[in-house]
Structure formats: structure tokens, C-alpha cells
Amino acid sequence: MRLSAFAGQGAAVHALGPVTLFAGPSGSGKSTTLRAYEALARLGAGDPLDEAFPHAADCIPDRARPDAQGRRGFRIGCTVDGPEGPVHLDLAVQAEPHLRIVGERLTRRGRTLFATALRDPGRNTVQAEWHTAGTAPVTRAPLPDDLLGTALLPLRVAGKTQGQLEVLAAAEQMVIGLRSAFACDPRPEGMRAPVPPGEGRLRRGCGNLAEVLHRTHTDCPRRHQRLATVAGAGCAGPVTGLGVRQLPDGTVRAVLERGDRPATPLGRLGNGELRYLALALTLLTGPGVLEMDRIAEVPDAMQGLTVLADGLDRELDGRQTGELLRLAADIAADGHIRVAGTVGERAAGQARLTPGVTVVDLRG
């Protein structure tokens, strides 16, 4: 991640390992970094600029001054490594007076493969050009100024010349890397009531936790059993399993099974226990079970996933935090899942002692 000029961050570069946690005092930029990542992910999925940055004015650096036309904005970027080697994306966004992408650049091995620039402020387009290496060295065309041009390239580039194939391969690597993100923000207040059974894809706030457990109990028995083991390590009292009860009105309720004791509905658990279970479930599933942009051209078993967890340790006690950190490191070691999150000082201390976890201190 590169936050060249974004909110309170300037010239910040963060390498993301299998499990990367940002720590630091309030206002140091922990949540800002994850917000930038999620915004890029949404742009990569084809979302318009105003949905990726709903509060774009808040992203303008504090010291930014408007030019003669009253324009201010911000700059972010990222590098995605893969079969094509490191591919770099840099984005310049105008937030005031009108939200638009005013410059985009996709580069690989020092060569600019794709670039856009705002030529006419009166139009809602940017002038784009991409590497061709055919009879003409580049191809030029207008593109909308509210969408990520890199994500549009598969619809615009013919793929007939070696240069066009290089552009498509780099763009595909970037887009797949960006789209493979799921922002998880469990909200215990929405997780207590029974829910109707449905598709069984976990939402951002995890309010349909019982519905997803109903699915994993049937479709993913091994993962479901592992989740039950994890639940036993982080919830009070003995836990022998995670069950789902169908109620007379057709809704389903998740319960902690207690062996010979009566089962405990998840609605009776504390906030920390519910957040712990929801985060563990997210780590133990994959794109097919999470409500995220699925990449149809990549099989679920081969898709990577980055879980974004702002406040990973929020409302968790030390035992739950330690168990979740160990689970994250263990899952990420397989290479299919990454975790990027923020934590407080106590959890950061635990994380520094957990093999496989990297802590980025943003104290400045």
C-alpha cells in the first residue's frame, strides 16, 4: 500500500505480509490505511468513485491547498505481486470541487503500460492510452472519470499484439489482487436475534452469523468442527460443538452445545464472544462463504483473500485475542488468506510475540 498523500498520511509505504497489524495511538492512521485498502478494492471490483470514497473530502491531506480553480485531492497506490512480477498502480483523485479520477498509471518493470490524464475539466472523461507494441505504439481512447480504468481494460484491449497481452496480464493481476478483499466488522447487537435461512454468505457486520453456521454445518463439516474447537478456546464454559436450531417460524438460531448441559443460544453470549466467533468464522471460510465480489474466472479453491479487520481486538479479552492471532497466523501460513487489521497497544504486544504476525507501528 502507498499513501502518497491521503488524509493524515504522506509518503507512507506499507508492505503487507500474511498477517499485518497496524498499531499506534489514536489519530496515527491505523484505520485510514485500511480505509484506503478497502476503497481500492471496491474500485477494482468496478464500484464508482463516490461509492469507494463516500466521504472523499476527509481523504484530502490536512495541508493541501486548493489551486487557482479550487481543486484539491489525494493520491494513493499499491503494488500487487504475482506471475507477472510486481505491478504498480498509482491513482490521483480530485475530491474538490468535483470528485473524479484525474490520473491513473499502471506500470511493470519500469514501463508504463496504461495511463490516464484529465485533458478537459468540462468533460466527465479522462484521456487514456495503453501500450500496444503493434503498428501503433499506443492506443488512445476516452474513459469515464469515475471508474478505475485498469478494471475496464479487459473490455477495451483486444489482446492481439504482444504489447496488448502484456497490458491485459498486468491489469488482470492488479484487479484480482484488489478484488480479493473482505472487510469484516462484526456488530454484536445485530447478531443476537434468529435469522431466516438463506444463501449463507457472511455479511460485513456478521448479522447473519446463524444463517452461515447453518450452511457450514452441512456443507463444510470439517471447517465447522474446527470452528467449534476454536469456540471452545475463546468462550466461557465447556463447548462441545456449534449447533443450529430451526424455530417454529422458520428462522434459525445458533447455539453453543455444552455436552450434557443445556445449549446456550449465541444471543446470550457477550459482545467479545460474538466478535471472536464471527472473526474466527471469517478466517476459516473463503470467498464462497463471504459476501464479497467473487472472481468467476478463478476457482474458489485457488482464490486468495485478504481479510480487513479494523479493531481486530475490539471487546476481546487477552485470551480471545491470543487465540485469534494464532488462528490468523496458522490460516495465513497456507498462503490463501492474508489478514490486515488494526489493534490497540495490549493486543500489539501479544501480536509481536506471535510467530507469523507482523506489527507496523504508526507512532511516527
Side-chain angles (χ1 to χ4, degrees), residues 166-228:
E166 184 180 359
V167 170
L168 286 174
E172 181 181 65
Q173 179 169 297
M174 177 58 64
V175 170
I176 288 177
L178 288 178
R179 287 169 58 185
S180 304
F182 177 73
C184 184
D185 184 17
R187 302 284 181 172
E189 64 274 13
M191 298 164 58
R192 301 185 182 280
V195 296
E199 187 182 8
R201 298 186 69 193
L202 189 66
R203 303 188 191 111
R204 178 191 186 117
C206 304
N208 63 332
L209 181 67
E211 172 199 348
V212 178
L213 290 175
H214 182 261
R215 173 183 174 181
T216 60
H217 186 272
T218 303
D219 296 348
C220 317
R222 292 178 60 186
R223 290 183 180 180
H224 189 88
Q225 182 55 47
R226 187 173 183 184
L227 178 63

Side-chain angles (χ1 to χ4, degrees), residues 322-337:
E323 291 292 342
L324 198 61
L325 289 172
R326 285 188 285 273
L327 176 64
D330 183 44
I331 294 295
D334 291 338
H336 291 294
I337 290 182

Side-chain angles (χ1 to χ4, degrees), residues 271-319:
N271 286 356
E273 291 176 308
L274 286 173
R275 281 185 53 82
Y276 170 80
L277 284 174
L279 289 164
L281 175 60
T282 301
L283 293 172
L284 286 168
T285 57
V289 183
L290 304 176
E291 191 173 70
M292 58 179 290
D293 180 49
R294 298 178 69 180
I295 305 172
E297 58 269 29
V298 180
D300 283 350
M302 298 179 62
Q303 286 192 31
L305 170 67
T306 299
V307 175
L308 305 178
D310 192 8
L312 180 73
D313 59 329
R314 189 185 311 135
E315 299 190 271
L316 272 60
D317 61 28
R319 176 187 56 154

